[in-house]
Amino acid sequence: MGMGISVREAIAKRAAEEIKDGMVVNLGIGIPTLVANYIPSNINVMFHAENGVLGTGPAPLKGEEDPNLCNAGGIPMTIVPGASYFDSTIAFGIIRRGLLDITILGAFEVSENGDLANWIVPGKIVSGMGGAVDLAQKAKKVIVLMNHTDKHGNPKIVPKCTLPLTAEKCVDLIITDMAVIEVTKQGLQLIEVKDPYTVEDVMNATGAALQVADFVK
């Protein structure tokens, strides 16, 4: 099943807690775009967009959209004081130089060693992989936001990805509608469980081996 607005926003709000003052952050399409709406006013962050903006802001209010201002997914956006515009070569240069503190992406699958598959489902028409490969490989921290299972109830956190990979061993943190899981050198570690789920629920919905932290929030 798909996620309702409140669930999507809850995931985005939790992801926003990972962003610290002074960071440069890239937000992927889908749920990640909502993260900008939950940054506290005392946190100064510059959001980066692959189409050539540094300093994107929250989504505009309905009726106040600027038709000439959108993010890399084509979604209307705002900008913050100090924002700058540049072409896509500079935008990707920022990524490839490793200057992004965090990238927050959606995913179809994540493996137990942090492999990411998020750009294509074979047989489906897609516009392209965009900046996903560069972002997953070069950002200092990669956070994935997604449903814990697919629409058929199958785990999206798996021992090995079956879909074409975006990048290997790149994911650091997974935030789903059920839990928050860290990808460590020792494997996947469950650190948070979301109400109304239990640790057992999360274990049953996860296809890969999952260790439980000493303290689970």
Side-chain angles (χ1 to χ4, degrees), residues 10-215:
I11 293 174
K13 186 175 182 181
R14 174 60 184 83
E17 296 177 15
E18 298 296 314
I19 298 174
K20 309 304 178 185
D21 193 61
M23 283 186 167
V24 177
V25 180
N26 181 282
L27 302 177
I29 61 175
I31 304 173
T33 61
L34 301 174
V35 173
N37 299 333
Y38 295 98
I39 302 299
S41 59
N42 63 328
I43 296 294
N44 295 309
V45 56
M46 296 299 278
F47 286 109
H48 167 279
E50 300 101 294
N51 57 329
V53 185
L54 184 63
T56 69
L61 297 174
K62 188 174 182 179
E64 297 184 9
E65 300 90 344
D66 182 340
N68 297 310
L69 191 58
C70 65
N71 60 26
I75 306 301
M77 67 178 189
T78 61
I79 57 172
V80 299
S84 58
Y85 303 100
F86 33 79
D87 64 22
S88 59
T89 59
I90 298 298
F92 275 83
I94 291 171
I95 298 170
R96 292 166 181 165
R97 285 285 301 273
L99 300 178
L100 294 180
D101 294 295
I102 294 177
T103 185
I104 303 177
L105 303 168
F108 299 132
E109 292 179 329
V110 178
S111 76
E112 60 187 9
N113 65 350
D115 294 342
L116 172 66
N118 82 336
W119 79 276
I120 190 171
V121 174
K124 301 290 185 179
I125 298 175
V126 295
S127 57
M129 63 177 63
V133 171
D134 298 277
L135 290 164
Q137 290 181 342
K138 298 298 184 179
K140 296 172 185 175
K141 184 173 184 177
V142 176
I143 299 174
V144 164
L145 311 185
M146 65 178 188
N147 255 342
H148 209 91
T149 61
D150 66 18
K151 62 182 179 181
H152 303 295
N154 301 311
K156 295 177 67 172
I157 302 172
V158 293
K160 184 177 181 179
C161 292
T162 60
L163 297 173
L165 291 185
T166 304
E168 297 180 344
K169 299 179 179 179
C170 61
V171 178
D172 298 292
L173 189 70
I174 306 167
I175 302 175
T176 76
D177 53 319
M178 297 181 72
V180 180
I181 298 171
E182 285 186 335
V183 183
T184 73
K185 292 180 179 180
Q186 292 73 40
L188 301 176
Q189 186 169 66
L190 177 64
I191 60 172
E192 295 179 26
V193 174
K194 299 187 178 182
D195 186 63
Y197 301 106
T198 65
V199 170
E200 184 178 5
D201 291 333
V202 176
M203 299 284 281
N204 291 336
T206 304
L210 188 60
Q211 304 170 31
V212 179
D214 293 336
F215 173 75

